[in-house]
Amino acid sequence: MKILVVGGGGREHAIIKKLRESPRAEKIYAAPGNGGISRDAECVPISASEVDGIVSFAVREGIDFAVIAPEDPLVRGAVDKLAAAGIPAFGPTADAAILEGSKIFAKNFMKRHGIPTASFAEFSDADTAIAYLERSSFPIVVKADGLAAGKGVIIAEDLDEAKDAVRSMMEDGAFGDSGLRVVIEEYLTGPEVSVLAFCDGEHVFPMVSSMDHKRAHDGDEGPNTGGMGTVAPNPFYTEEVAAECMEKIFRPTVLGMKEEGRPFRGCLYFGLMITENGPYVIEYNCRFGDPETQVVLPLLDCDLLDVMEKAATGTLAEGDVKIKDGCACCVIMAHVGYPGKYESGFEIDIPEDIERDVYVAGGKLEGGKLISGGGRVLGVTAAGGTLAEAVSGAYEKVGRIGFPNSFYRRDIGARALSAEKDS
Ligand code: AMP
Ligand code: GLY
């Protein structure tokens, strides 16, 4: 089969490496991919957001199956347009991707279906939002309604910060049209868990749980980033919590979407917070997480292509999604300065024996050499029988990768390891 994977980061590299294990995957293309991915797939220079270009490439090349990884093309209907051109694809249609594309939709959907989430109010003009803030207690959370590349959430400690957030989103256009409407919601506390699940429109099969590390620096200090590392499984996601999530969150979400005529097929990402009152949904994403995928897929014990096709055709059954025992850790290496300003363009030296465990997020090939690009450059994953083994394995490999001007967090997995000890 000829497969096209849309996207070009570490997540897409992990998807491609896993798809390559499938005996039916004869040829894999990536649009646009990156220099690291080009060692595993043929990269074509079409950006992930160029939906029409992707569809015409897929038709021209006779692609048998497409995998749309990032939210932007999903929300803009890439799967619908591919289907109209006769090309089956993994990922939700635009109608279903709205779970990530509009926080106002997602919050009201959860309210309609009794799915636990922070209480909220929605606003489409700044004065009303500010009047509401003046009657609120703090901290409080201000969220842009639409897609904002992971930056549309502001936790405001006091009234001034909250007003600034509302003004920057609704009046100054900090996130373009995405911020014209906002959600203001209750601030929750508790450990966060990511659960990625295959859905076929009716059934939901979660993969192993994971924990992201969003802040740039050790000890959860510094600015928010796209994610500096992950571990799986997440020790806060006990069997009891998992059962409660299935009953109160996962099934009601998938059945609710079906009932509303928006069946969700693809990977649904549940961003959860385990509060005193049980698990709450912090956010839905309509796709695989990055860098969650880099620990979740290495622990998947089945043919990814088979599962994706079954999800796309509504035929997933009990036993199709199998998870390996054991744990995994991914450490992200970024350029110094990320998520602010940074210099890039450095040669990366990856020893051959660990290349299969390295997922390149940003880079290009020049004369056969991999040159760093983007803020986050690569992720290094190790699996192990225990979390401690996975964490030390990942850091051992990181220590063998040389590239100038790089930094990484030294404490990926530390919180998970101490939670394991407490339990
Ligand atoms: P999101 O972009 O929706 O993933 O939000 C980014 C981060 O903001 C989440 O991972 C949480 O750490 C935090 N966050 C979002 N909503 C809330 C909330 N209601 N209470 C506390 N923290 C939140
Ligand atoms: N790691 C968070 C995300 O993919 O949205």
Side-chain angles (χ1 to χ4, degrees):
M1 276 175 78
K2 278 189 182 181
I3 302 163
L4 169 65
V5 176
V6 172
R11 164 184 59 198
E12 287 76 9
H13 203 176
I15 291 172
I16 286 166
K17 285 190 185 218
K18 192 74 184 177
L19 284 173
R20 283 190 58 177
E21 293 174 14
S22 173
R24 292 189 301 128
E26 282 160 42
K27 169 96 191 171
I28 304 181
Y29 295 91
N34 65 44
I37 290 176
S38 67
R39 292 176 167 160
D40 292 291
E42 184 173 329
C43 295
V44 291
I46 307 171
S47 115
S49 311
E50 255 180 77
V51 173
D52 293 335
I54 284 162
V55 176
S56 37
F57 171 81
V59 170
R60 201 164 62 237
E61 256 344 288
I63 294 296
D64 298 300
F65 191 66
V67 176
I68 315 298
E71 61 275 20
D72 184 69
L74 289 167
V75 167
R76 295 200 295 110
V79 169
D80 312 62
K81 288 190 178 171
L82 284 163
I87 295 166
F90 178 82
T93 56
D95 270 357
I98 193 173
L99 270 188
E100 176 168 4
S102 168
K103 293 205 194 292
I104 291 178
F105 174 88
K107 296 296 290 190
N108 284 306
F109 170 83
M110 287 187 267
K111 199 164 144 188
R112 286 196 289 282
H113 295 277
I115 295 167
T117 190
S119 60
F120 72 101
E122 60 183 85
F123 298 94
S124 50
D125 90 281
D127 291 340
T128 322
I130 285 169
Y132 174 85
L133 288 172
E134 279 165 351
R135 312 189 294 273
S136 300
S137 49
F138 297 87
I140 206 162
V141 187
V142 182
K143 300 186 171 182
D145 174 49
L147 295 183
K151 298 189 181 85
V153 174
I154 292 178
I155 298 180
E157 298 296 335
D158 54 38
L159 179 60
D160 284 343
E161 273 185 43
K163 281 184 180 170
D164 285 349
V166 163
R167 290 218 172 85
S168 80
M169 287 181 195
M170 303 187 81
E171 292 180 348
D172 308 338
F175 304 111
D177 288 354
S178 287
L180 293 179
R181 298 197 296 160
V182 301
V183 167
I184 298 183
E185 72 177 33
E186 173 198 8
Y187 174 77
L188 301 173
T189 52
E192 288 183 56
V193 178
S194 310
V195 176
L196 281 52
F198 288 108
C199 302
D200 72 350
E202 186 165 358
H203 308 101
V204 50
F205 296 102
M207 290 170 263
V208 64
S209 63
S210 55
M211 182 192 287
D212 195 359
H213 297 69
K214 286 195 168 130
R215 300 295 199 96
H217 303 301
D218 289 3
D220 290 327
E221 304 271 344
N224 256 321
T225 69
M228 294 302 293
T230 37
V231 291
N234 184 322
F236 293 101
Y237 190 72
T238 60
E239 269 176 42
E240 273 168 19
V241 171
E244 199 175 343
C245 287
M246 185 51 93
E247 186 202 342
K248 296 187 177 155
I249 297 174
F250 304 161
R251 272 201 205 105
T253 299
V254 171
L255 293 177
M257 289 296 278
K258 184 182 172 216
E259 211 176 281
E260 295 193 10
R262 304 169 180 272
F264 191 101
R265 301 193 182 92
C267 176
L268 184 50
Y269 171 131
F270 297 90
L272 307 168
M273 193 174 268
I274 316 303
T275 74
E276 277 181 344
N277 301 317
Y280 275 52
V281 177
I282 290 286
E283 61 165 343
Y284 291 117
N285 292 323
C286 65
R287 49 160 177 92
F288 283 95
D290 190 344
E292 284 89 346
T293 307
Q294 292 88 313
V295 287
V296 168
L297 288 187
L299 294 177
L300 191 68
D301 199 13
C302 48
D303 185 314
L304 180 60
L305 181 56
D306 285 352
V307 171
M308 285 180 156
E309 280 189 306
K310 288 181 174 170
T313 50
T315 52
L316 271 179
E318 206 63 57
D320 284 338
V321 177
K322 294 197 200 77
I323 312 290
K324 292 180 194 167
D325 287 334
C327 304
C329 172
C330 175
V331 176
I332 299 291
M333 298 178 82
H335 283 124
V336 173
Y338 171 78
K341 282 203 179 112
Y342 54 83
E343 262 186 79
S344 65
F346 303 95
E347 189 177 328
I348 310 172
D349 178 32
I350 306 172
E352 221 167 275
D353 63 307
I354 60 170
E355 212 167 89
R356 69 189 184 104
D357 307 312
V358 176
Y359 304 110
V360 176
K364 55 185 176 190
L365 278 188
E366 273 175 16
K369 294 196 171 109
L370 186 61
I371 307 297
S372 69
R376 291 186 298 170
V377 179
L378 50 86
V380 185
T381 292
T386 64
L387 200 51
E389 280 168 26
V391 170
S392 62
Y395 278 108
E396 190 262 324
K397 290 177 200 170
V398 165
R400 296 180 56 208
I401 294 178
F403 82 91
N405 200 39
S406 67
F407 89 98
Y408 54 89
R409 272 181 66 162
R410 313 265 161 172
D411 66 343
I412 301 302
R415 178 143 192 240
L417 285 168
S418 66
E420 261 189 353
K421 272 199 211 99
D422 294 344
S423 65

